[in-house]
């Protein structure tokens, strides 16, 4: 029998126990019913920030308060390893640092940039560069996943709940790394080949499958299989042939062999399955390279697609990331310059760069796709005829006819994307819309004496009523429209995409590409013919598309093309030009300018031998002896450009540039051609050639509203770049 | 990381350097011993005792005499230092000068050091020979092992299982880096585990005995106190050794599982290289260094291609000099492999997916660069002439050959004759050239030289015994590298260090190399255990642990301390650095000359002097890390690296600590623990 003290103690303990159990149960209920829904609503849980990584969390918690200290030490050690080119150790440390502070965006950006740029540039072979670019991208993609926000809707209590936005900067940088380090790098051709190989199932690019033995047991390329490979991957094969000097099937297969272990979307092939040609499994999504964002828009590539077709290239990957980067942005302003865009700091994130520039990247990536296809020679449905490799099979093999290889559709899509961008951001105005707004703004401008390019201070549409209010708003809209269009070079890009998608442009571009190819093959006679056929058509195009011809890069490109043409012309017509101009030069009083300067200068006549001192041993002492040695070998001499200062035909073309030029052209066309029977006034080219003249720019450089087709700035930029003004 | 290029920034000790190293050790340890004897002497004088100890105690008298000699020599040394100064020698770093003692200074410092060491170590040696019994030490060692086992210390090693299980989650690598990445993980995991265990075991054993008074049960037995110290050290040492062996065996399985072919090719082996004795440069303006491309890490020097704009400038060469080559190379029939890994620094893009084309020349060691160039000219002329003869000889059979097989046979014969011709000419002119070698950086590349060429070079060195103008024997072989003249290559620079090119003598299995690597870790943990046990003879457990950790960590930044002590660091010493921080001056900006600046720099000089002394007792822990050898696939040389650079420094470092422990344990008041 327990004493009363013992009974009291027992009761007391039972009461305590009851209270503990009660409070504990209450706290559990409170957590489940109040705290968790609230945390979900406010997006306070770590899952809301992005993917959660258990090991990183364990390390962070085990470090207690010394996480910052550990991160600093690791950072310092990583940079020391980088200094000593110890990349393996460097990468391990970099990954450790980022694990310690996964929601601090800057280290992800800095160290991934470090890997993809600074480390990659220290490597010499493209395959090594490619590896570290891929590592940088993987690191940044990992960081993006940690900070991608709430992608899984099942975590949210309702559709109206807060949604933690992703980080546009990281997503954009992923795309930008692809663009800079693969698509536009110094070794872009090799890098793009490696990128293509990353996307091909290893059993489909297995070099061992492409070898066979000939009658004497010698290892040779299995041509039927190789032909199939060429059919499946024409862009890769053509790039290897034309850009990387793989002039035989053997060299192509050797390239595949050398780069067999390229970072890939596919797992290491199982030899047994590979022998039976069973497709290789994809790696887990996070380990695939090229790494792609989740498919949040239908126009983005599906990362789970087994094998992409060749219309998926590096710019497609970049574009996917650019599109994904648009997700956390606020919607654009419905009336730019007049209405502030909606911005909710909880739902939206802004990039560091100006948002209106940021939004152009997907369209820009699309334009690059078209540009790259053109540079690689893919224009139309004629494909590429593989030169000479399959003559043993008695076949003429051509590949790449499908529209996915053509640049026209890519440019067309780019045009559509630019139009969509313009419409979405309200900077796209049709000619009619613009004219209507100009008319409407006229009242405000004349009343307050404000020029179209001026933003009035102290005046706002809200201050006015009726017609003046509408006029003031129209002026503001036009001003901001002009500002945004100029800052993203909208007219240039739209004009370029619009022109490049046209069949006539593609036709001439193809001719230029053929000419370059023929020049590389030293088939100069044909080159001249192609240039002479293409250049007039090119001028027609430039006259027809005003926005196109005003693009500075295009003007430079046109001038470079003209230089190439002149070079070929001089080489081809040397037998006529040389005596003619030598004679002219002899007849011409030196420096008088009486006769035109010689268009052709022969290759420099160099005294190829120079006196060269060398050290020789004479007995026990060194002696200096002078020897004649070659300054330049034959290849060097061939490289010396004979053109120094010579004008080409395109430089003489001047246009009468004035507002309302098109109307004036139509008027003049009607005036001059209307009387002809049958009338020719509906021929487009006739209208385009109106208000065009020929002026010798060296004698009369300034001609008022007459502007040269090729401005001086473009010419001098090219000449400086090619070092022609020495 | 550059593979199959051994990057060792610190030159290891060589057998030829051993006497100097021993002298240096005697001087350093001797100065510390002299300070100890001086302190004992002073305390005796202050306590009005005889300087030579108790009358009739020969050991005390010997210590007294040695102490007097040591102090005297040290005093003479200081006087000489004051009178003669030191010899200032310029180094490659223009900011740094080496200060060397004169012969007389060395002499007195060595005599004094030896006397001091004799003075302090003779009592220890006598005790070891007379009173100390290895049987008792064995018993205490056994007891230590049992205590550690009962304390479940061995379970600490089970932590390694975490590394085996989960390290792959964190460690990413490319295929050829696999062994390197694994070795890195294993080294750090094993080293940390071993060091923590050894520091904890060593630091707390004796203090715990004292605190728990269990030591009374031992010291009341006929046991010498120093036997306890040795017993503890050897017992724990044994336990740690067994633990290390087990861990290493398991780790070897971890490293070796599924080694990829690329990794196996790169580093899953133990290359036995023969490195050149020195690397010099020709045409770069300075013989010892090449061009500087502005990299922060100046381990490699660069050569540039022959520029058409600078025709009068000499062609640049990197030259590896091999003073000797093993005689067994003469008997080799197969081609001799040379491997190299060079760094490329590009000034232009060059040709896409193409390396830099270089020319390698293997020449007699006695030839200078102009002579090599001239011999090569003659070689080529003769080669062209004789190749013409061969071509003429085979022109008719070529025409007569009907089948492809016959044509191939003829071509093979011609190629064979070309090769023979090349070897003959190499022997005649003493040079052999391999042109058009495409160099790619971060890649181990290999080329072979006909065995006959190397044989001729060795035989020429043996028979002709060529000598330099100063009478020193000329080296056997010079390997010269220069950049090719093609337009893309000649615009680039190629970087190299002494160990970047080597003659591959043999290849040993990976496990042998790995076993030697384990010895490095063992030395590491024995060193920490030794410091911890020695400290624990006088200090409490936690303080001993802190001491061991301090020495261990200081050992890792010894290079930084050395740079600070030698005044090589940007920004100066602590006083100057504090001034810069206060006045927000950047590191490169010079301080304004003023009395205050001068004072601060003097204070820094004093600080650096004391730091230089402290540096003597900080161990260089980095030397025990042999991971670089194993992960790069290079054999760890048993003699020069394992013995001279690991085991000998370990003994040299632990011996003074052992002597110190002898005196501290004997002077400790065991009955009154604090």
């Amino acid at each position: 029998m327990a004493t009363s003290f013992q009974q009291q103690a027992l009761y007391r303990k039972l009461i305590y126990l009851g209270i503990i159990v009660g409070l504990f149960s209450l706290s559990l209920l409170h957590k489940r019913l109040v705290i968790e829904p609230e945390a979900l609503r406010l997006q306070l849980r770590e899952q809301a920030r992005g993917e959660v990584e258990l090991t990183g969390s364990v390390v962070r918690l085990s470090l207690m308060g010394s996480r910052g200290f550990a991160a600093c030490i690791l950072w310092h050690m990583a940079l020391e390893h980088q200094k000593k080119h110890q990349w393996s150790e460097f990468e391990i440390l970099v990954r450790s640092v980022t694990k310690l502070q996964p929601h601090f965006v800057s280290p992800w950006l800095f160290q991934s940039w470090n890997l993809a740029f600074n480390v990659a540039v220290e490597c010499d072979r493209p395959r090594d560069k490619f590896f570290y670019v891929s590592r940088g991208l993987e690191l940044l993609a990992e960081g993006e996943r940690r900070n991608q926000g709430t992608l899984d809707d099942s975590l949210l209590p309702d559709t109206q709940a807060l949604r933690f936005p992703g980080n546009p900067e990281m997503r954009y940088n992923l795309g930008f790394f692809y663009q800079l380090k693969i698509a536009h790098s110094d070794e872009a051709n090799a890098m793009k080949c490696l990128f293509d190989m990353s996307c091909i199932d290893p059993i489909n690019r297995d070099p061992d499958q492409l070898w066979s033995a000939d009658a004497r047991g010698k290892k040779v390329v299995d041509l039927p299989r190789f032909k199939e490979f060429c059919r499946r991957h024409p862009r890769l094969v053509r790039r290897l042939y034309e850009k990387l000097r793989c002039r035989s099937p053997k060299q192509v297969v050797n390239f595949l062999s050398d780069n067999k272990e390229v970072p890939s979307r596919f797992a290491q092939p199982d030899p047994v399955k590979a022998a039976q040609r069973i497709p290789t499994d994809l790696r887990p999504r996070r380990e695939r390279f090229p790494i792609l964002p989740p498919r949040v828009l239908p126009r983005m590539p599906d990362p789970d697609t087994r094998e992409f077709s060749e219309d998926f290239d590096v710019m497609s990957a970049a574009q996917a990331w650019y599109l994904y980067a648009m997700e956390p942005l606020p919607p654009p302003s419905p009336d730019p310059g007049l209405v502030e865009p909606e911005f909710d700091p909880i739902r939206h994130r802004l990039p560091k760069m100006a948002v209106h520039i940021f939004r152009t990247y997907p369209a820009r990536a699309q334009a690059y796709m078209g540009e790259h296809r053109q540079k690689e020679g893919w224009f139309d449905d004629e494909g590429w005829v593989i030169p000479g490799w399959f003559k043993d099979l008695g076949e003429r093999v051509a590949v790449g006819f499908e529209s996915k290889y053509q640049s026209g559709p890519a440019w067309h899509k780019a045009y559509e994307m630019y139009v969509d961008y313009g419409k979405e951001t309200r900077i796209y105005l049709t000619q009619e819309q613009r004219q209507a707004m100009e008319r409407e703004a006229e009242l405000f401008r004349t009343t307050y004496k404000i020029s179209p390019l001026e933003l009035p201070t102290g005046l706002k549409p809200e201050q006015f009523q009726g017609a003046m209010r509408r006029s003031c708003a129209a002026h503001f809209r036009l001003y901001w429209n002009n500002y945004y269009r100029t800052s993203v070079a909208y007219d240039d890009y739209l004009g370029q995409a619009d022109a490049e998608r046209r069949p006539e442009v593609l036709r001439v571009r193809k001719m230029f590409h053929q000419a370059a190819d023929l020049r590389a093959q030293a088939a100069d006679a044909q080159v001249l013919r192609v240039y002479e056929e293409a250049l007039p058509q090119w001028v027609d195009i430039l006259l027809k598309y005003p926005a196109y011809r005003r693009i500075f890069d295009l003007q430079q490109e046109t001038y470079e093309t003209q230089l190439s043409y002149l070079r070929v012309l001089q080489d081809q017509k040397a037998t006529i030009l040389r005596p003619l101009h030598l004679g002219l030069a002899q007849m011409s009083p030196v420096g008088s300018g009486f006769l035109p300067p010689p268009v052709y200068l022969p290759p420099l006549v160099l005294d190829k031998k120079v006196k060269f001192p060398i050290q020789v041993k004479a007995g026990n002492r060194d002696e200096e002896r002078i020897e004649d040695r070659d300054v330049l070998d034959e290849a060097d001499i061939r490289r010396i450009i004979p053109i120094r200062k010579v004008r080409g035909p395109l430089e003489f073309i001047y246009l009468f540039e004035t507002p309302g030029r098109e109307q004036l052209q139509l008027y003049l066309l009607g005036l001059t051609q209307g009387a002809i029977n049958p009338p020719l006034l509906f021929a487009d080219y006739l209208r385009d050639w109106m208000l065009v003249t020929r002026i010798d720019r060296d004698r009369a450089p300034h001609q008022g509203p007459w502007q040269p087709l090729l401005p001086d700035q473009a010419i001098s930029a090219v000449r400086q770049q090619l070092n022609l003004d020495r | 990381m550059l593979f199959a290029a051994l990057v060792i920034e610190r030159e290891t000790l060589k057998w030829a350097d051993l006497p100097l190293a021993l002298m240096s050790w005697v001087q350093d340890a001797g100065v510390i011993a002299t300070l100890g004897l001086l302190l004992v002497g002073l305390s005796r004088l202050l306590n009005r005792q005889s300087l030579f100890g108790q009358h009739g105690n020969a050991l005390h008298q010997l210590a007294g005499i040695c102490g007097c000699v040591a102090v005297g020599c040290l005093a003479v040394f200081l006087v000489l230092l004051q009178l003669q100064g030191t010899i200032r020698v310029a180094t490659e770093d223009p900011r740094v000068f080496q200060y060397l003692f004169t012969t007389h200074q060395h002499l007195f410092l060595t005599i004094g050091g030896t006397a001091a060491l004799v003075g302090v170590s003779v009592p220890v040696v006598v005790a070891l020979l007379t009173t100390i019994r290895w049987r008792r030490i064995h018993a205490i060692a056994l007891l230590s092992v049992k205590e550690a086992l009962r304390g479940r210390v061995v379970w600490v090693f089970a932590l390694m299982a975490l590394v085996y299980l989960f390290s792959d989650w964190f460690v990413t690598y490319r295929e050829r880096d696999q062994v390197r990445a694994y070795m890195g993980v294993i080294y750090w995991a094993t080293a940390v585990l071993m060091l923590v265990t050894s520091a904890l075991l060593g630091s707390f054993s004796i203090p715990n005995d004292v605190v728990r008074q269990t030591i009374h049960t031992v010291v009341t037995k006929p046991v010498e106190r120093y036997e306890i110290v040795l017993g503890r050290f050897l017992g724990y040492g044994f336990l740690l050794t067994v633990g290390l062996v087990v861990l290493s065996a398991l780790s070897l399985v971890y490293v070796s599982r599924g080694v990829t072919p690329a990794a196996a090719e790169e580093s899953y082996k133990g290359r036995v290289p023969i490195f050149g004795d020195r690397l010099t440069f020709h045409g770069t303006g300075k013989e010892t260094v090449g061009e500087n491309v502005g990299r922060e890490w100046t381990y490699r020097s660069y050569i540039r291609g022959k520029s058409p704009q600078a025709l009068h400038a000499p062609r640049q060469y990197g030259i590896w000099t091999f003073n000797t080559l093993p005689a067994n190379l003469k008997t080799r029939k197969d081609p001799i492999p040379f491997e190299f890994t060079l760094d490329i620094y590009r000034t232009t893009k060059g040709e896409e997916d193409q390396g830099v084309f270089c020319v390698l020349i293997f020449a007699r060691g006695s030839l200078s660069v102009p002579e090599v160039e001239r011999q090569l000219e003659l070689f080529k002329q003769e080669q062209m002439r004789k190749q013409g003869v061969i071509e003429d000889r085979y022109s008719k059979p070529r025409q007569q050959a009907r089948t492809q097989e016959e044509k191939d046979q003829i071509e093979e014969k011609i190629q064979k004759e070309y090769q023979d011709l090349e070897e003959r000419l190499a022997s005649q002119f003493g040079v052999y050239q391999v042109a058009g070698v495409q160099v790619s950086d971060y890649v181990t590349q290999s080329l072979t030289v006909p065995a006959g060429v190397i044989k001729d070079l060795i035989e020429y060195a043996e028979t002709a015994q060529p000598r330099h103008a100063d009478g020193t024997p000329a080296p056997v072989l010079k390997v010269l590298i220069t950049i090719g003249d093609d337009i893309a290559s000649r615009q680039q620079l190629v970087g190299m260090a002494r160990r970047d090119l080597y003659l591959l003598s043999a290849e040993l299995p990976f496990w042998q190399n790995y076993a030697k690597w384990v010895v490095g870790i063992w030395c590491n943990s024995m060193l920490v255990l030794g410091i911890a046990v020695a400290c624990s003879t006088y200090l409490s457990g936690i303080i001993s642990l802190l001491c061991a950790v301090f020495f261990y960590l200081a050992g890792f930044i010894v290079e930084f301390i050395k740079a600070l002590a030698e005044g090589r660091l940007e920004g100066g010493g602590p006083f100057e650095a504090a001034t810069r921080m206060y006045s927000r001056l950047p590191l490169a900006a010079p301080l304004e000359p003023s009395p205050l600046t001068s004072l601060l720099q003097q204070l820094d000089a004093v600080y650096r002097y004391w730091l230089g002394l402290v540096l003597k007792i900080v161990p260089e822990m980095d030397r025990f890390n042999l991971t670089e050898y194993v992960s790069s696939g290079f054999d760890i040389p048993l003699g020069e690296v394992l013995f001279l650079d690991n085991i000998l420094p370990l003994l040299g470092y632990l011996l003074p600590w052992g002597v110190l422990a002898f005196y501290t344990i004997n002077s400790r008041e065991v009955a009154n623990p604090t």
Side-chain angles (χ1 to χ4, degrees), chain A residues 84 122 124 186 190 216 612, chain B residues 295 311 346 349 352 441:
Chain A
K84 296 185 176 182
E122 292 290 351
D124 198 52
D186 279 350
R216 287 183 294 131
F612 191 87
Chain B
R295 289 199 199 282
L311 288 171
R346 288 189 179 272
K349 177 180 153 185
E352 206 171 325
D441 62 356

Side-chain angles (χ1 to χ4, degrees), chain A residues 55 83-86 122-126 128 131 135 186-187 189-190 216 245 612-613 617, chain B residues 1 9 169 172 174 180 295-296 311-312 344 346 349 352-354 374 404 408 441-443:
Chain A
T55 50
K83 202 164 76 179
K84 296 185 176 182
H85 295 186
Q86 294 166 336
E122 292 290 351
C123 304
D124 198 52
R125 294 191 305 182
D128 295 328
F131 176 80
R135 302 305 277 195
D186 279 350
E187 294 84 7
N189 295 308
R216 287 183 294 131
R245 305 168 303 280
F612 191 87
K617 200 87 178 167
Chain B
M1 190 63 202
E9 292 181 74
W169 290 11
T172 52
R174 62 190 302 191
R180 172 172 291 274
R295 289 199 199 282
E296 265 189 281
L311 288 171
H312 297 281
I344 293 174
R346 288 189 179 272
K349 177 180 153 185
E352 206 171 325
D353 204 18
Q354 293 277 324
R374 199 176 51 194
Q404 187 63 39
D408 288 348
D441 62 356
Y442 306 111
V443 179

